[in-house]
Amino acid sequence: MTTKKEEQMIIKKLEKLAVHNDPINPELYQKYEVKRGLRNANGTGVLVGLTRIGDVVGYEIKDGQKIAVPGRLIYRGYNVEDLVRDAEKNHQFGFEQCAYLLLFGELPTQQNLQKFCDYLGECRTLPPNFTEDMIMKAPSNDIMNKIARGVLASYSYDDDPENRSVGNVIKQCVQLIARFSTLAAYGYQAKRRYYDNKSMFVHNPKPELYTAENFLRLIRSDKQYTRLEAETLDLALILHAEHGGGNNSSLTVHVVSSADTDTYSAIAAAVGSLKGRRHGGANIRVVEMMDDIKANVKDWSNENEVAEYIKKIATKQAFDRTGLVYGMGHAVYTISDPREVLLKEKARQLAVEKNCLAEFELYSTIEKVAPSIIQEVHHSDKKVCSNVDFYSGFVYTMLNIPRELFTPLFAISRIAGWSAHRIEEIVSGGRIYRPAYKNVSEERPYIPMLDRK
């Protein structure tokens, strides 16, 4: 039996081997014109596919130059701001309409939307024994891993899981869209009980409620929430539902689906991608940064004092010493992130209800001063704007949503976009993704076992 100490020594030795043998000289990437991260030299993404689902607009190309423009987010040809404003005007929750649009490519009539919502409501309850066997008996400290396991486990509860017909895939996707909020909420309850030693409360979802309402109901002991709370969460779900085919998790859906695998395998892979700290966890880093700022800036209303501390963060003198001002900057958006603009409006309303206006004003001050500080520190004239992550964590905190649910909330929303991309790949793809990797190691003469040292 290998002892713990022996195991650690073995791992240390293997780690040393891997680190020694795997590094690649950065100059080779330039020599072979490698598009690292599938990005061109000017920061734009390498074109690897076509989509009709969504578009992310932050700049225009004129005479080979990137020209910054106010950000726009487009779902199936419609500006997301129009979707949001229409839902507000009609006092409706909009995420379900958004999911319908992404899946089927057209805006639903009121009758079709109601039928779609009714079906989602029927599917929110997990299959018999699923909660006990797949969630409570195998709790996880990380809810994203619990969601991924729940998605894969759903394969076993499907009568026809390998059926790749478009109709069956749509059914599978709609069921997953309905169940993601329940998977996340129950995974959170299991974590509370088995990892946090707190009380666990498992409520049944109500079919007549919308996704945002059900989620707030499921994570709260008293099942209560205000209309503004539900509307704010609904807005966040709309804004995170889709972001073009090039984001890491949506690309993952295309890549895995192109191999002709089942729906559950493709969506579980996307969950794993979103869990990554470079993808779905950015709003948590914003909140952690804000904790640090609030602890070190005495007068939140003093713009100069706030700016001085932001400069310390940007110059690696404060917070995590990375030099990153979290929530600032985006790969595509330059002048503005339309998601941030819309969410900030709702954040102000919620801050009034929650008596958090002083904190909201601190966020606003940082949003105002940080871009110029970042440009000054990096000696750059590149435009920098705050992104959706800057306010989303603050909004979730005001909604009393635990931080471990921030990224799962992203998944509850993005499953709509992932599903649309899976269907699109099945309908229009037809070819497995197979990019090239250049081998830069030399061939070596083989060493027989007895001659190795």
Side-chain angles (χ1 to χ4, degrees), residues 100 108-118:
Y100 184 103
T109 62
Q110 187 60 53
Q111 183 180 17
N112 287 341
L113 178 60
Q114 189 59 56
K115 289 180 179 178
F116 183 65
C117 290
D118 290 344

Side-chain angles (χ1 to χ4, degrees), residues 373-404:
I373 292 172
I374 293 170
Q375 287 180 316
E376 177 188 340
V377 169
H378 294 284
H379 307 290
S380 171
D381 58 359
K382 179 182 177 182
K383 289 181 170 60
V384 178
C385 66
S386 53
N387 59 52
V388 69
D389 294 316
F390 188 67
Y391 281 102
S392 62
F394 176 46
V395 165
Y396 297 155
T397 301
M398 286 194 289
L399 290 173
N400 200 29
I401 295 173
R403 292 183 186 181
E404 57 262 50

Side-chain angles (χ1 to χ4, degrees), residues 196-259:
D196 302 338
N197 295 315
K198 296 180 180 178
S199 297
M200 178 176 69
F201 31 88
V202 180
H203 311 308
N204 292 323
K206 297 184 73 173
E208 66 271 22
L209 298 182
Y210 291 89
T211 303
E213 295 177 296
N214 257 308
F215 183 74
L216 291 174
R217 181 178 186 275
L218 292 180
I219 65 170
R220 295 180 173 179
S221 58
D222 61 2
K223 300 180 280 189
Q224 301 301 307
Y225 53 87
T226 68
R227 174 75 185 192
L228 179 58
E229 286 180 320
E231 287 177 347
T232 305
L233 183 57
D234 179 70
L235 172 63
L237 295 178
I238 294 171
L239 299 178
H240 286 89
E242 161 64 4
H243 213 238
N247 70 82
N248 197 277
S249 54
S250 294
L251 177 62
T252 297
V253 170
H254 277 283
V255 171
V256 178
S257 294
S258 77

Side-chain angles (χ1 to χ4, degrees), residues 385-434:
C385 66
S386 53
N387 59 52
V388 69
D389 294 316
F390 188 67
Y391 281 102
S392 62
F394 176 46
V395 165
Y396 297 155
T397 301
M398 286 194 289
L399 290 173
N400 200 29
I401 295 173
R403 292 183 186 181
E404 57 262 50
L405 280 169
F406 286 9
T407 309
L409 265 174
F410 199 156
I412 291 169
S413 171
R414 188 55 63 85
I415 175 60
W418 291 338
S419 297
H421 282 287
R422 171 158 174 79
I423 295 166
E424 185 175 65
E425 184 63 39
I426 290 173
V427 172
S428 301
R431 191 171 189 181
I432 190 170
Y433 276 74
R434 181 61 171 84

Side-chain angles (χ1 to χ4, degrees), residues 35-208:
K35 309 290 188 181
R36 298 189 72 180
L38 289 180
R39 295 189 184 185
N40 297 309
N42 65 357
T44 59
V46 174
L47 187 62
V48 298
L50 302 173
T51 184
R52 297 178 64 92
I53 297 169
D55 196 13
V56 182
V57 182
Y59 56 83
E60 296 174 354
I61 303 294
K62 292 183 179 179
D63 299 323
Q65 298 295 317
K66 289 170 62 176
I67 307 298
V69 298
R72 301 194 310 278
L73 178 59
I74 310 298
Y75 291 171
R76 293 287 191 175
Y78 297 102
N79 194 315
V80 167
E81 182 176 359
D82 292 332
L83 292 170
V84 170
R85 299 304 184 200
D86 186 61
E88 291 175 343
K89 179 181 178 181
N90 293 289
H91 305 288
Q92 291 182 321
F93 292 102
F95 174 67
E96 285 71 20
Q97 176 179 215
C98 174
Y100 184 103
L101 172 64
L102 291 171
L103 284 174
F104 308 118
E106 297 292 344
L107 292 168
T109 62
Q110 187 60 53
Q111 183 180 17
N112 287 341
L113 178 60
Q114 189 59 56
K115 289 180 179 178
F116 183 65
C117 290
D118 290 344
Y119 185 61
L120 286 174
E122 292 173 10
C123 295
R124 269 190 231 288
T125 301
L126 302 180
N129 303 317
F130 190 104
T131 303
E132 294 80 3
D133 294 342
M134 297 300 170
I135 298 178
M136 300 305 169
K137 289 183 179 179
S140 172
N141 193 38
D142 190 286
I143 298 165
M144 288 296 283
N145 281 66
K146 186 76 265 179
I147 292 174
R149 186 176 187 271
V151 172
L152 289 173
S154 297
Y155 181 102
S156 301
Y157 291 77
D158 188 329
D159 294 334
D160 197 10
E162 291 288 345
N163 184 343
R164 315 281 207 281
S165 69
V166 174
N168 194 61
V169 169
I170 289 173
K171 182 188 76 170
Q172 292 170 332
C173 287
V174 172
Q175 290 177 348
L176 287 174
I177 291 171
R179 291 173 183 165
F180 254 52
S181 56
T182 311
L183 288 172
Y186 287 1
Y188 166 66
Q189 297 300 341
K191 176 186 179 295
R192 279 177 58 90
R193 168 66 179 85
Y194 294 102
Y195 287 90
D196 302 338
N197 295 315
K198 296 180 180 178
S199 297
M200 178 176 69
F201 31 88
V202 180
H203 311 308
N204 292 323
K206 297 184 73 173
E208 66 271 22

